[in-house]
Amino acid sequence: MRHFVNIGLLLAFITLVATGVMAFFLPFSIVTTRTHVVSGLLVFVLVAMHVATRIPYFQTALRLKIRGFSWQHLVILVSLWGAVTGLSVLGWSPATWLMENSYEARYRKQIFRASSLAGFGQPSPHSLVIARNSKQANDGELSVLLSFVESLDEIPSLAVWAESTAGTMIETLFLQDKLAYREELDWHGKLVRRNHILPIWRHRYTVVSGVSPDGEVDGTSGATDTHAFALDKYLVSNQGNRFVICVELNMPSDSNEDWPDPELGQPSLLYTALVDVDRDSPHAIIELTGHGGDAEQDGHVRYDLDRVTTAKDVVDLFIVKLQKIP
């Protein structure tokens, strides 16, 4: 049993260290986090088994009856443990320095995370459901169904957001994981920036994040007295509220004569629907509106869709529903 515990503890510790290093230096990954948590649990179990078999040793050590181990050594160990724990809990240096050099801290301006009130599910390999609850129990609940044709091998890269009728982003409801943690990423084998994949969303997001696609800080960005970057107040009935749901998607390697790049292919497509909160019908179809070709620098929507061909054939049905809570 002793050898089983020792070897098992070594293997679990190696996994724990490896996933901890990955969590520090790399973007968030649910796989890394899950593996780290499970490994931590395994280390806890194995350490508990080790301690259980060594209870007499620890009793002797705590009674200071082991040669070469005095009360001074015990005080030093407890003090070091207390100091490290205290620095971590209180957020003092060098604990803060360590965390400020993690990936999450260094790239916090690039990282996107949806509101805790937003969630998504994938009921089938070719469909997504994005839902956004409201803070107030009696306000509306928004849901977006994105259904793609079954011939697709995978769902395109996409973002879903709400914006005002004037074109100002209110809130991003969903952004595909691989696009959520950095500006430049490996997109199907090619290093590509987010504003080349989803240029319309990325430029709208500049107003919210305060950082342009080039990494420059926009000092004028931020919520104002008349605009808050949250959807809640727009979901209230009998206030004349109207907003637009936008879906931008991009399928790689779908080149044609006008868009010959073999990796990027045809440009991103923008689908939109006007949501009138006080309208009797709860549903609205999200329809093709324009594309993001050559919009990498300005984010403007292009409405000439004649040159876009097969990229328009990946969507089956996009629909938004606003459920009013009585």
Side-chain angles (χ1 to χ4, degrees), residues 94-111:
T96 51
W97 175 87
L98 183 65
M99 295 311 299
E100 285 169 0
N101 284 277
S102 69
Y103 183 93
E104 291 280 327
R106 288 184 291 114
Y107 294 95
R108 56 181 170 267
K109 285 293 186 179
Q110 299 181 18
I111 295 172

mmCIF file with all atom_site columns, all heavy atoms in Angstrom, residues 94-111:
data_model
loop_
_atom_site.group_PDB
_atom_site.id
_atom_site.type_symbol
_atom_site.label_atom_id
_atom_site.label_alt_id
_atom_site.label_comp_id
_atom_site.label_asym_id
_atom_site.label_entity_id
_atom_site.label_seq_id
_atom_site.pdbx_PDB_ins_code
_atom_site.Cartn_x
_atom_site.Cartn_y
_atom_site.Cartn_z
_atom_site.occupancy
_atom_site.B_iso_or_equiv
_atom_site.pdbx_formal_charge
_atom_site.auth_seq_id
_atom_site.auth_comp_id
_atom_site.auth_asym_id
_atom_site.auth_atom_id
_atom_site.pdbx_PDB_model_num
ATOM 1   N N   . PRO A 1 94  ? 4.898   38.925 -2.548  1.00 0.00 ? 94  PRO A N   1
ATOM 2   C CA  . PRO A 1 94  ? 5.020   38.729 -4.004  1.00 0.00 ? 94  PRO A CA  1
ATOM 3   C C   . PRO A 1 94  ? 3.847   37.976 -4.643  1.00 0.00 ? 94  PRO A C   1
ATOM 4   O O   . PRO A 1 94  ? 3.892   37.659 -5.828  1.00 0.00 ? 94  PRO A O   1
ATOM 5   C CB  . PRO A 1 94  ? 6.303   37.918 -4.121  1.00 0.00 ? 94  PRO A CB  1
ATOM 6   C CG  . PRO A 1 94  ? 6.299   37.072 -2.883  1.00 0.00 ? 94  PRO A CG  1
ATOM 7   C CD  . PRO A 1 94  ? 5.704   37.935 -1.796  1.00 0.00 ? 94  PRO A CD  1
ATOM 8   N N   . ALA A 1 95  ? 2.805   37.665 -3.850  1.00 0.00 ? 95  ALA A N   1
ATOM 9   C CA  . ALA A 1 95  ? 1.665   36.929 -4.413  1.00 0.00 ? 95  ALA A CA  1
ATOM 10  C C   . ALA A 1 95  ? 0.998   37.728 -5.536  1.00 0.00 ? 95  ALA A C   1
ATOM 11  O O   . ALA A 1 95  ? 0.640   37.173 -6.583  1.00 0.00 ? 95  ALA A O   1
ATOM 12  C CB  . ALA A 1 95  ? 0.661   36.601 -3.317  1.00 0.00 ? 95  ALA A CB  1
ATOM 13  N N   . THR A 1 96  ? 0.844   39.050 -5.327  1.00 0.00 ? 96  THR A N   1
ATOM 14  C CA  . THR A 1 96  ? 0.212   39.870 -6.361  1.00 0.00 ? 96  THR A CA  1
ATOM 15  C C   . THR A 1 96  ? 1.088   39.941 -7.610  1.00 0.00 ? 96  THR A C   1
ATOM 16  O O   . THR A 1 96  ? 0.579   39.925 -8.727  1.00 0.00 ? 96  THR A O   1
ATOM 17  C CB  . THR A 1 96  ? -0.052  41.282 -5.834  1.00 0.00 ? 96  THR A CB  1
ATOM 18  O OG1 . THR A 1 96  ? 1.159   41.810 -5.267  1.00 0.00 ? 96  THR A OG1 1
ATOM 19  C CG2 . THR A 1 96  ? -1.135  41.277 -4.773  1.00 0.00 ? 96  THR A CG2 1
ATOM 20  N N   . TRP A 1 97  ? 2.417   40.043 -7.408  1.00 0.00 ? 97  TRP A N   1
ATOM 21  C CA  . TRP A 1 97  ? 3.318   40.082 -8.561  1.00 0.00 ? 97  TRP A CA  1
ATOM 22  C C   . TRP A 1 97  ? 3.172   38.813 -9.390  1.00 0.00 ? 97  TRP A C   1
ATOM 23  O O   . TRP A 1 97  ? 3.163   38.855 -10.620 1.00 0.00 ? 97  TRP A O   1
ATOM 24  C CB  . TRP A 1 97  ? 4.759   40.228 -8.081  1.00 0.00 ? 97  TRP A CB  1
ATOM 25  C CG  . TRP A 1 97  ? 5.753   40.158 -9.215  1.00 0.00 ? 97  TRP A CG  1
ATOM 26  C CD1 . TRP A 1 97  ? 6.178   41.182 -9.997  1.00 0.00 ? 97  TRP A CD1 1
ATOM 27  C CD2 . TRP A 1 97  ? 6.408   38.977 -9.691  1.00 0.00 ? 97  TRP A CD2 1
ATOM 28  N NE1 . TRP A 1 97  ? 7.065   40.727 -10.941 1.00 0.00 ? 97  TRP A NE1 1
ATOM 29  C CE2 . TRP A 1 97  ? 7.226   39.369 -10.779 1.00 0.00 ? 97  TRP A CE2 1
ATOM 30  C CE3 . TRP A 1 97  ? 6.386   37.636 -9.311  1.00 0.00 ? 97  TRP A CE3 1
ATOM 31  C CZ2 . TRP A 1 97  ? 8.008   38.464 -11.477 1.00 0.00 ? 97  TRP A CZ2 1
ATOM 32  C CZ3 . TRP A 1 97  ? 7.168   36.737 -10.011 1.00 0.00 ? 97  TRP A CZ3 1
ATOM 33  C CH2 . TRP A 1 97  ? 7.971   37.154 -11.083 1.00 0.00 ? 97  TRP A CH2 1
ATOM 34  N N   . LEU A 1 98  ? 3.077   37.687 -8.711  1.00 0.00 ? 98  LEU A N   1
ATOM 35  C CA  . LEU A 1 98  ? 2.944   36.410 -9.402  1.00 0.00 ? 98  LEU A CA  1
ATOM 36  C C   . LEU A 1 98  ? 1.666   36.389 -10.236 1.00 0.00 ? 98  LEU A C   1
ATOM 37  O O   . LEU A 1 98  ? 1.683   36.026 -11.416 1.00 0.00 ? 98  LEU A O   1
ATOM 38  C CB  . LEU A 1 98  ? 2.939   35.263 -8.392  1.00 0.00 ? 98  LEU A CB  1
ATOM 39  C CG  . LEU A 1 98  ? 2.870   33.845 -8.970  1.00 0.00 ? 98  LEU A CG  1
ATOM 40  C CD1 . LEU A 1 98  ? 4.121   33.540 -9.769  1.00 0.00 ? 98  LEU A CD1 1
ATOM 41  C CD2 . LEU A 1 98  ? 2.672   32.825 -7.859  1.00 0.00 ? 98  LEU A CD2 1
ATOM 42  N N   . MET A 1 99  ? 0.542   36.804 -9.642  1.00 0.00 ? 99  MET A N   1
ATOM 43  C CA  . MET A 1 99  ? -0.728  36.768 -10.354 1.00 0.00 ? 99  MET A CA  1
ATOM 44  C C   . MET A 1 99  ? -0.781  37.798 -11.480 1.00 0.00 ? 99  MET A C   1
ATOM 45  O O   . MET A 1 99  ? -1.414  37.566 -12.506 1.00 0.00 ? 99  MET A O   1
ATOM 46  C CB  . MET A 1 99  ? -1.880  36.993 -9.385  1.00 0.00 ? 99  MET A CB  1
ATOM 47  C CG  . MET A 1 99  ? -2.036  35.884 -8.347  1.00 0.00 ? 99  MET A CG  1
ATOM 48  S SD  . MET A 1 99  ? -2.037  34.220 -9.076  1.00 0.00 ? 99  MET A SD  1
ATOM 49  C CE  . MET A 1 99  ? -3.470  34.300 -10.152 1.00 0.00 ? 99  MET A CE  1
ATOM 50  N N   . GLU A 1 100 ? -0.108  38.937 -11.308 1.00 0.00 ? 100 GLU A N   1
ATOM 51  C CA  . GLU A 1 100 ? -0.100  39.956 -12.351 1.00 0.00 ? 100 GLU A CA  1
ATOM 52  C C   . GLU A 1 100 ? 0.667   39.512 -13.588 1.00 0.00 ? 100 GLU A C   1
ATOM 53  O O   . GLU A 1 100 ? 0.541   40.123 -14.645 1.00 0.00 ? 100 GLU A O   1
ATOM 54  C CB  . GLU A 1 100 ? 0.501   41.257 -11.809 1.00 0.00 ? 100 GLU A CB  1
ATOM 55  C CG  . GLU A 1 100 ? -0.455  42.000 -10.882 1.00 0.00 ? 100 GLU A CG  1
ATOM 56  C CD  . GLU A 1 100 ? 0.229   43.138 -10.151 1.00 0.00 ? 100 GLU A CD  1
ATOM 57  O OE1 . GLU A 1 100 ? 1.459   43.326 -10.383 1.00 0.00 ? 100 GLU A OE1 1
ATOM 58  O OE2 . GLU A 1 100 ? -0.436  43.820 -9.364  1.00 0.00 ? 100 GLU A OE2 1
ATOM 59  N N   . ASN A 1 101 ? 1.468   38.470 -13.452 1.00 0.00 ? 101 ASN A N   1
ATOM 60  C CA  . ASN A 1 101 ? 2.207   37.951 -14.599 1.00 0.00 ? 101 ASN A CA  1
ATOM 61  C C   . ASN A 1 101 ? 1.555   36.709 -15.200 1.00 0.00 ? 101 ASN A C   1
ATOM 62  O O   . ASN A 1 101 ? 2.129   36.078 -16.094 1.00 0.00 ? 101 ASN A O   1
ATOM 63  C CB  . ASN A 1 101 ? 3.647   37.633 -14.191 1.00 0.00 ? 101 ASN A CB  1
ATOM 64  C CG  . ASN A 1 101 ? 4.482   38.885 -14.050 1.00 0.00 ? 101 ASN A CG  1
ATOM 65  O OD1 . ASN A 1 101 ? 5.003   39.412 -15.018 1.00 0.00 ? 101 ASN A OD1 1
ATOM 66  N ND2 . ASN A 1 101 ? 4.594   39.380 -12.822 1.00 0.00 ? 101 ASN A ND2 1
ATOM 67  N N   . SER A 1 102 ? 0.382   36.360 -14.726 1.00 0.00 ? 102 SER A N   1
ATOM 68  C CA  . SER A 1 102 ? -0.348  35.232 -15.315 1.00 0.00 ? 102 SER A CA  1
ATOM 69  C C   . SER A 1 102 ? -0.985  35.659 -16.632 1.00 0.00 ? 102 SER A C   1
ATOM 70  O O   . SER A 1 102 ? -1.112  36.856 -16.934 1.00 0.00 ? 102 SER A O   1
ATOM 71  C CB  . SER A 1 102 ? -1.436  34.751 -14.354 1.00 0.00 ? 102 SER A CB  1
ATOM 72  O OG  . SER A 1 102 ? -2.459  35.724 -14.243 1.00 0.00 ? 102 SER A OG  1
ATOM 73  N N   . TYR A 1 103 ? -1.400  34.695 -17.423 1.00 0.00 ? 103 TYR A N   1
ATOM 74  C CA  . TYR A 1 103 ? -2.024  35.009 -18.716 1.00 0.00 ? 103 TYR A CA  1
ATOM 75  C C   . TYR A 1 103 ? -3.285  35.844 -18.513 1.00 0.00 ? 103 TYR A C   1
ATOM 76  O O   . TYR A 1 103 ? -3.520  36.818 -19.229 1.00 0.00 ? 103 TYR A O   1
ATOM 77  C CB  . TYR A 1 103 ? -2.381  33.710 -19.450 1.00 0.00 ? 103 TYR A CB  1
ATOM 78  C CG  . TYR A 1 103 ? -2.957  33.970 -20.826 1.00 0.00 ? 103 TYR A CG  1
ATOM 79  C CD1 . TYR A 1 103 ? -2.139  33.983 -21.943 1.00 0.00 ? 103 TYR A CD1 1
ATOM 80  C CD2 . TYR A 1 103 ? -4.320  34.225 -21.000 1.00 0.00 ? 103 TYR A CD2 1
ATOM 81  C CE1 . TYR A 1 103 ? -2.658  34.249 -23.205 1.00 0.00 ? 103 TYR A CE1 1
ATOM 82  C CE2 . TYR A 1 103 ? -4.843  34.491 -22.252 1.00 0.00 ? 103 TYR A CE2 1
ATOM 83  C CZ  . TYR A 1 103 ? -4.006  34.496 -23.353 1.00 0.00 ? 103 TYR A CZ  1
ATOM 84  O OH  . TYR A 1 103 ? -4.530  34.775 -24.585 1.00 0.00 ? 103 TYR A OH  1
ATOM 85  N N   . GLU A 1 104 ? -4.100  35.458 -17.531 1.00 0.00 ? 104 GLU A N   1
ATOM 86  C CA  . GLU A 1 104 ? -5.368  36.156 -17.297 1.00 0.00 ? 104 GLU A CA  1
ATOM 87  C C   . GLU A 1 104 ? -5.139  37.631 -16.996 1.00 0.00 ? 104 GLU A C   1
ATOM 88  O O   . GLU A 1 104 ? -5.912  38.482 -17.424 1.00 0.00 ? 104 GLU A O   1
ATOM 89  C CB  . GLU A 1 104 ? -6.116  35.496 -16.140 1.00 0.00 ? 104 GLU A CB  1
ATOM 90  C CG  . GLU A 1 104 ? -6.640  34.114 -16.458 1.00 0.00 ? 104 GLU A CG  1
ATOM 91  C CD  . GLU A 1 104 ? -7.924  34.157 -17.262 1.00 0.00 ? 104 GLU A CD  1
ATOM 92  O OE1 . GLU A 1 104 ? -8.717  35.090 -17.069 1.00 0.00 ? 104 GLU A OE1 1
ATOM 93  O OE2 . GLU A 1 104 ? -8.133  33.252 -18.095 1.00 0.00 ? 104 GLU A OE2 1
ATOM 94  N N   . ALA A 1 105 ? -4.077  37.955 -16.240 1.00 0.00 ? 105 ALA A N   1
ATOM 95  C CA  . ALA A 1 105 ? -3.809  39.348 -15.897 1.00 0.00 ? 105 ALA A CA  1
ATOM 96  C C   . ALA A 1 105 ? -3.188  40.105 -17.071 1.00 0.00 ? 105 ALA A C   1
ATOM 97  O O   . ALA A 1 105 ? -3.559  41.245 -17.351 1.00 0.00 ? 105 ALA A O   1
ATOM 98  C CB  . ALA A 1 105 ? -2.878  39.410 -14.685 1.00 0.00 ? 105 ALA A CB  1
ATOM 99  N N   . ARG A 1 106 ? -2.250  39.486 -17.748 1.00 0.00 ? 106 ARG A N   1
ATOM 100 C CA  . ARG A 1 106 ? -1.553  40.168 -18.842 1.00 0.00 ? 106 ARG A CA  1
ATOM 101 C C   . ARG A 1 106 ? -2.462  40.454 -20.032 1.00 0.00 ? 106 ARG A C   1
ATOM 102 O O   . ARG A 1 106 ? -2.262  41.424 -20.759 1.00 0.00 ? 106 ARG A O   1
ATOM 103 C CB  . ARG A 1 106 ? -0.341  39.345 -19.291 1.00 0.00 ? 106 ARG A CB  1
ATOM 104 C CG  . ARG A 1 106 ? 0.807   39.353 -18.286 1.00 0.00 ? 106 ARG A CG  1
ATOM 105 C CD  . ARG A 1 106 ? 2.032   38.613 -18.772 1.00 0.00 ? 106 ARG A CD  1
ATOM 106 N NE  . ARG A 1 106 ? 1.819   37.180 -18.861 1.00 0.00 ? 106 ARG A NE  1
ATOM 107 C CZ  . ARG A 1 106 ? 1.817   36.484 -19.983 1.00 0.00 ? 106 ARG A CZ  1
ATOM 108 N NH1 . ARG A 1 106 ? 2.034   37.092 -21.135 1.00 0.00 ? 106 ARG A NH1 1
ATOM 109 N NH2 . ARG A 1 106 ? 1.630   35.182 -19.975 1.00 0.00 ? 106 ARG A NH2 1
ATOM 110 N N   . TYR A 1 107 ? -3.470  39.619 -20.241 1.00 0.00 ? 107 TYR A N   1
ATOM 111 C CA  . TYR A 1 107 ? -4.343  39.770 -21.401 1.00 0.00 ? 107 TYR A CA  1
ATOM 112 C C   . TYR A 1 107 ? -5.783  40.076 -21.002 1.00 0.00 ? 107 TYR A C   1
ATOM 113 O O   . TYR A 1 107 ? -6.702  39.803 -21.763 1.00 0.00 ? 107 TYR A O   1
ATOM 114 C CB  . TYR A 1 107 ? -4.292  38.500 -22.252 1.00 0.00 ? 107 TYR A CB  1
ATOM 115 C CG  . TYR A 1 107 ? -2.945  38.247 -22.882 1.00 0.00 ? 107 TYR A CG  1
ATOM 116 C CD1 . TYR A 1 107 ? -2.029  37.409 -22.262 1.00 0.00 ? 107 TYR A CD1 1
ATOM 117 C CD2 . TYR A 1 107 ? -2.573  38.861 -24.067 1.00 0.00 ? 107 TYR A CD2 1
ATOM 118 C CE1 . TYR A 1 107 ? -0.781  37.178 -22.817 1.00 0.00 ? 107 TYR A CE1 1
ATOM 119 C CE2 . TYR A 1 107 ? -1.336  38.639 -24.633 1.00 0.00 ? 107 TYR A CE2 1
ATOM 120 C CZ  . TYR A 1 107 ? -0.438  37.789 -24.003 1.00 0.00 ? 107 TYR A CZ  1
ATOM 121 O OH  . TYR A 1 107 ? 0.796   37.567 -24.557 1.00 0.00 ? 107 TYR A OH  1
ATOM 122 N N   . ARG A 1 108 ? -5.961  40.669 -19.810 1.00 0.00 ? 108 ARG A N   1
ATOM 123 C CA  . ARG A 1 108 ? -7.328  40.870 -19.325 1.00 0.00 ? 108 ARG A CA  1
ATOM 124 C C   . ARG A 1 108 ? -8.139  41.791 -20.237 1.00 0.00 ? 108 ARG A C   1
ATOM 125 O O   . ARG A 1 108 ? -9.360  41.674 -20.289 1.00 0.00 ? 108 ARG A O   1
ATOM 126 C CB  . ARG A 1 108 ? -7.324  41.408 -17.899 1.00 0.00 ? 108 ARG A CB  1
ATOM 127 C CG  . ARG A 1 108 ? -6.544  42.677 -17.663 1.00 0.00 ? 108 ARG A CG  1
ATOM 128 C CD  . ARG A 1 108 ? -6.606  43.082 -16.191 1.00 0.00 ? 108 ARG A CD  1
ATOM 129 N NE  . ARG A 1 108 ? -5.681  44.159 -15.871 1.00 0.00 ? 108 ARG A NE  1
ATOM 130 C CZ  . ARG A 1 108 ? -4.459  43.966 -15.414 1.00 0.00 ? 108 ARG A CZ  1
ATOM 131 N NH1 . ARG A 1 108 ? -4.013  42.733 -15.222 1.00 0.00 ? 108 ARG A NH1 1
ATOM 132 N NH2 . ARG A 1 108 ? -3.658  44.991 -15.142 1.00 0.00 ? 108 ARG A NH2 1
ATOM 133 N N   . LYS A 1 109 ? -7.482  42.716 -20.935 1.00 0.00 ? 109 LYS A N   1
ATOM 134 C CA  . LYS A 1 109 ? -8.209  43.606 -21.838 1.00 0.00 ? 109 LYS A CA  1
ATOM 135 C C   . LYS A 1 109 ? -8.684  42.885 -23.093 1.00 0.00 ? 109 LYS A C   1
ATOM 136 O O   . LYS A 1 109 ? -9.597  43.343 -23.778 1.00 0.00 ? 109 LYS A O   1
ATOM 137 C CB  . LYS A 1 109 ? -7.317  44.788 -22.232 1.00 0.00 ? 109 LYS A CB  1
ATOM 138 C CG  . LYS A 1 109 ? -7.145  45.827 -21.133 1.00 0.00 ? 109 LYS A CG  1
ATOM 139 C CD  . LYS A 1 109 ? -8.450  46.547 -20.839 1.00 0.00 ? 109 LYS A CD  1
ATOM 140 C CE  . LYS A 1 109 ? -8.247  47.688 -19.856 1.00 0.00 ? 109 LYS A CE  1
ATOM 141 N NZ  . LYS A 1 109 ? -9.503  48.404 -19.575 1.00 0.00 ? 109 LYS A NZ  1
ATOM 142 N N   . GLN A 1 110 ? -8.043  41.766 -23.413 1.00 0.00 ? 110 GLN A N   1
ATOM 143 C CA  . GLN A 1 110 ? -8.429  41.023 -24.608 1.00 0.00 ? 110 GLN A CA  1
ATOM 144 C C   . GLN A 1 110 ? -9.461  39.936 -24.307 1.00 0.00 ? 110 GLN A C   1
ATOM 145 O O   . GLN A 1 110 ? -10.160 39.480 -25.204 1.00 0.00 ? 110 GLN A O   1
ATOM 146 C CB  . GLN A 1 110 ? -7.199  40.363 -25.238 1.00 0.00 ? 110 GLN A CB  1
ATOM 147 C CG  . GLN A 1 110 ? -6.125  41.332 -25.691 1.00 0.00 ? 110 GLN A CG  1
ATOM 148 C CD  . GLN A 1 110 ? -4.952  40.624 -26.337 1.00 0.00 ? 110 GLN A CD  1
ATOM 149 O OE1 . GLN A 1 110 ? -5.048  39.473 -26.753 1.00 0.00 ? 110 GLN A OE1 1
ATOM 150 N NE2 . GLN A 1 110 ? -3.828  41.318 -26.436 1.00 0.00 ? 110 GLN A NE2 1
ATOM 151 N N   . ILE A 1 111 ? -9.528  39.519 -23.048 1.00 0.00 ? 111 ILE A N   1
ATOM 152 C CA  . ILE A 1 111 ? -10.371 38.383 -22.686 1.00 0.00 ? 111 ILE A CA  1
ATOM 153 C C   . ILE A 1 111 ? -11.833 38.817 -22.586 1.00 0.00 ? 111 ILE A C   1
ATOM 154 O O   . ILE A 1 111 ? -12.147 39.820 -21.953 1.00 0.00 ? 111 ILE A O   1
ATOM 155 C CB  . ILE A 1 111 ? -9.905  37.762 -21.362 1.00 0.00 ? 111 ILE A CB  1
ATOM 156 C CG1 . ILE A 1 111 ? -8.513  37.154 -21.527 1.00 0.00 ? 111 ILE A CG1 1
ATOM 157 C CG2 . ILE A 1 111 ? -10.883 36.705 -20.869 1.00 0.00 ? 111 ILE A CG2 1
ATOM 158 C CD1 . ILE A 1 111 ? -7.882  36.679 -20.232 1.00 0.00 ? 111 ILE A CD1 1
#
